[in-house]
Amino acid sequence: MAADSESKLSQVLRHIRPFPDFPKKGIMFRDICPILKDPASLTAVIDLFEEHVRKNHQQVDLIVGLDARGFLFGPLLAQRLGVGFVLIRKKGKLPGNTVSVAYDLEYGKAEAEIQEDAVTPGQKILLIDDLLATGGTLYAACELMKKQQAEILGCMVVIELKELNGIEKLKPHTVFSLVQY
């Protein structure tokens, strides 16, 4: 990694705030709010994502962001790359005809959906979110993209919680994470 990339990564790391025992005892919550508050840190995140995409995925049609924190990083990256941005939302939040997929959470079930005409068959997409934990939400997003017949180039997250092994659920798709804990 070039010195400039290393300094950007250090900038990002300094702005991830740990909260022990949130939302319940035994959980170490990693808060990205300080990144969003600091323009240099937010720029560093987008720079690092852009560098990864330009190096590894020269032909991208869309950035697809997951509800809700993927919406914070995805449009900025899409704008830099000169491509479109598409939303994957929780069920019932999008107007018009939608396509949905159900998935399991640690505490129950949920559904994710996308507008039916948001992605056309064959479009090359990258999924983006803030965090990879157990992999359930990103897995559901991948399934949704398969229903849309999109070509999934990979997934990108700011933070990966390695001990939860969510990356296994996403195989064969690749995951690029800026920070791993």
Side-chain angles (χ1 to χ4, degrees):
M1 187 181 294
D4 186 47
S5 294
E6 287 178 19
S7 70
K8 288 175 184 177
L9 186 56
S10 293
Q11 172 82 15
V12 172
L13 281 165
R14 285 193 308 273
H15 287 82
I16 295 173
R17 182 172 45 181
F19 278 97
D21 299 323
F22 182 82
K24 63 182 184 179
K25 190 163 182 61
I27 303 288
M28 177 63 75
F29 187 87
R30 306 291 178 169
D31 183 19
I32 61 158
C33 290
I35 291 172
L36 301 172
K37 185 178 173 183
D38 181 65
S41 297
L42 181 55
T43 298
V45 167
I46 303 306
D47 287 350
L48 290 165
F49 279 142
E50 180 184 11
E51 179 181 302
H52 169 75
V53 172
R54 291 199 187 279
K55 182 178 178 185
N56 298 286
H57 306 289
Q58 288 78 31
Q59 294 183 321
V60 176
D61 297 314
L62 294 170
I63 301 295
V64 179
L66 279 63
D67 196 345
R69 294 186 190 116
F71 301 172
L72 303 172
F73 303 105
L76 297 172
L77 178 60
Q79 183 181 42
R80 289 259 193 101
L81 297 171
V83 301
F85 176 75
V86 171
L87 308 169
I88 290 181
R89 302 264 351 238
K90 292 175 178 83
K91 181 91 172 147
K93 301 290 184 181
L94 290 170
N97 293 331
T98 61
V99 178
S100 66
V101 66
Y103 62 100
D104 293 322
L105 298 168
E106 302 82 59
Y107 51 85
K109 291 198 176 288
E111 276 189 80
E113 68 181 359
I114 189 168
Q115 289 174 318
E116 189 176 73
D117 62 354
V119 177
T120 56
Q123 281 192 300
K124 296 173 179 7
I125 65 100
L126 284 166
L127 291 153
I128 191 166
D129 204 2
D130 68 322
L131 179 75
L132 171 58
T134 63
T137 307
L138 265 172
Y139 177 79
C142 288
E143 292 300 300
L144 205 46
M145 291 298 96
K146 286 178 192 172
K147 277 187 170 185
Q148 294 295 92
Q149 300 173 33
E151 183 180 333
I152 303 167
L153 300 177
C155 304
M156 299 179 299
V157 294
V158 178
I159 300 168
E160 178 186 347
L161 302 177
K162 290 197 59 86
E163 68 183 33
L164 298 177
N165 209 24
I167 201 165
E168 287 299 315
K169 188 175 266 185
L170 297 172
K171 284 183 176 176
H173 305 296
T174 61
V175 178
F176 172 72
S177 52
L178 296 181
V179 179
Q180 297 176 342
Y181 290 104

